[in-house]
Amino acid sequence: MLALRLARGSRPLVQLRRLLVAAASAATGFLLLYVLAQATVRPGGSFPQLLWALLPVAATAQFAVAVARTDPATRPLEGLDAVGLGPVRLTLAGAISTAVACTLGSALALAAFLHLRGDLVGLPFDGAGAGLLHADRPLPVAAALTLMTLVPLAASVTTAVALRPHPAPTPQTGLPWGIALTACGLAVEAAFGRGAAGMAAGWTLTAAGLALAGPGLAYACGTLVQAVRPGALRLLAGRALQEEAPRLGRPLGVLCAVGAGALTAAALADRGTAPLPLGPLTAPAALLVVLCASATLLTSAVEARQARSATRETLLDLGAPGTVLRTAATLRATALVIVCVPLSWGVAQLTSLALTR
């Protein structure tokens, strides 16, 4: 009840973010139901498709976590402990709000899926996707309901873990492990990449490695900005980027992985060997992952800006011109682009070589 009251009293922009989470959950749920419908026709080939469908699930869960972290209702405020709203209760409220939004999306996905199959009649376009969704085969109800709980469960659990009280991590600690995971992913793709399951497993390891290395990369970008006799502007930009590395690093690493995947798919398409692991829904699924990764990074940037609000007001009170703060933000973004674009290109080249051996 507390989570619902906090959600109802939020600002319109916060409500819009929750609606975007529900939309992402609906798209992912529809994709999972499509994989289930495919499994009723080809049971043997459904496992690789399910592996590929887990990537949008992970992207949606990450986006839901980013939205929950920027929600004012989940941030501890002074005096709330006295009325029983400590960090644990706020974490629980954030997880419940995320579960409600994702459950709404999953319910919409199930309704739309059944409607396009022709199982729900009386509305426009009922049965329009009967052939694509294999309406001639009975849909396992228990399996469909289980898949519909996957996104809300993954998003709410991940949100609870992310919002729980814990010490701030050191940004560079995950860099060696991230590099090692990326190398393992490339090795799996080189060894088993010709099979759909091997390609999915290898790419998952590569993306996880880049996400784990992201905070260290962002911290290194901040160090690069301050290198070689920095002035006040570069010091301000570099220190801020190092402070934001734990927030921006993971979404930045995931976006690098998505960019590398897009470049790899383009390279394989030029050679005529581009895979379609999810059939006609491969392109919509890829677009969903791109949108979720981009929205997660933008939402994390909003969270970082909220965390810097006190510092920004202090600098303005001391007489710092607004152009200095805007220039510092531009410098931070430029440093991230300079490092991340070649990284995505390099991973894409290595992935293309591994898949075409």
Side-chain angles (χ1 to χ4, degrees):
M1 185 62 69
L2 172 64
L4 294 178
R5 289 182 177 178
L6 291 175
R8 187 179 59 183
S10 299
R11 298 193 301 267
L13 184 58
V14 178
Q15 300 286 18
L16 176 61
R17 292 177 192 148
R18 291 184 180 133
L19 287 177
L20 291 177
V21 171
S25 176
T28 305
F30 190 92
L31 182 64
L32 291 172
L33 290 173
Y34 169 77
V35 172
L36 178 62
Q38 289 286 96
T40 61
V41 180
R42 294 189 299 272
S46 61
F47 181 69
Q49 286 191 331
L50 182 60
L51 288 180
W52 281 109
L54 291 180
L55 295 179
V57 173
T60 302
Q62 186 192 30
F63 178 46
V65 170
V67 170
R69 291 175 67 96
T70 58
D71 194 337
T74 62
R75 290 201 298 269
L77 299 176
E78 185 178 356
L80 289 182
D81 285 335
V83 294
L85 294 180
V88 176
R89 291 287 300 275
L90 291 178
T91 298
L92 181 61
I96 293 175
S97 298
T98 300
V100 169
C102 292
T103 301
L104 174 62
S106 296
L108 291 175
L110 182 59
F113 184 84
L114 295 177
H115 173 62
L116 292 177
R117 273 173 56 98
D119 297 331
L120 297 180
V121 296
L123 295 174
F125 305 106
D126 54 344
L132 177 65
L133 304 180
H134 304 289
D136 57 328
R137 297 296 183 96
L139 187 70
V141 177
L145 294 178
T146 301
L147 287 178
M148 289 302 93
T149 63
L150 182 59
V151 176
L153 184 62
S156 58
V157 170
T158 309
T159 299
V161 172
L163 295 181
R164 78 190 192 283
H166 60 278
T170 304
Q172 282 185 316
T173 53
L175 187 58
W177 293 103
I179 295 174
L181 268 181
T182 303
C184 290
L186 293 173
V188 170
E189 289 172 353
F192 309 103
R194 294 186 181 275
M199 186 185 299
W203 183 244
T204 300
L205 287 174
T206 301
L210 290 174
L212 190 59
L217 290 174
Y219 192 89
C221 289
T223 304
L224 180 64
V225 169
Q226 303 175 76
V228 189
R229 301 177 63 182
L233 181 61
R234 285 201 289 144
L235 278 175
L236 177 63
R239 296 290 174 84
L241 188 53
Q242 289 177 333
E243 184 180 351
E244 295 168 2
R247 294 187 183 92
L248 296 180
R250 295 282 174 85
L252 186 66
V254 171
L255 192 59
C256 288
V258 171
L263 293 173
T264 302
L268 294 178
D270 290 339
R271 300 170 187 172
T273 58
L276 295 175
L278 294 174
L281 294 189
T282 299
L287 180 61
L288 173 63
V289 172
V290 170
L291 291 177
C292 285
S294 303
T296 300
L297 182 59
L298 291 176
T299 307
S300 299
V302 170
E303 180 194 3
R305 179 179 174 82
Q306 292 174 349
R308 292 197 319 271
S309 59
T311 303
R312 185 169 59 253
E313 292 176 0
T314 301
L315 290 175
L316 292 175
D317 291 340
L318 292 175
T323 55
V324 172
L325 300 179
R326 289 190 292 270
T327 305
T330 303
L331 187 58
R332 292 195 298 271
T334 303
L336 292 176
V337 170
I338 290 175
V339 171
C340 293
V341 170
L343 174 65
S344 299
W345 181 84
V347 172
Q349 294 300 311
L350 293 174
T351 304
S352 301
L353 291 175
L355 293 177
T356 55
R357 286 189 56 185

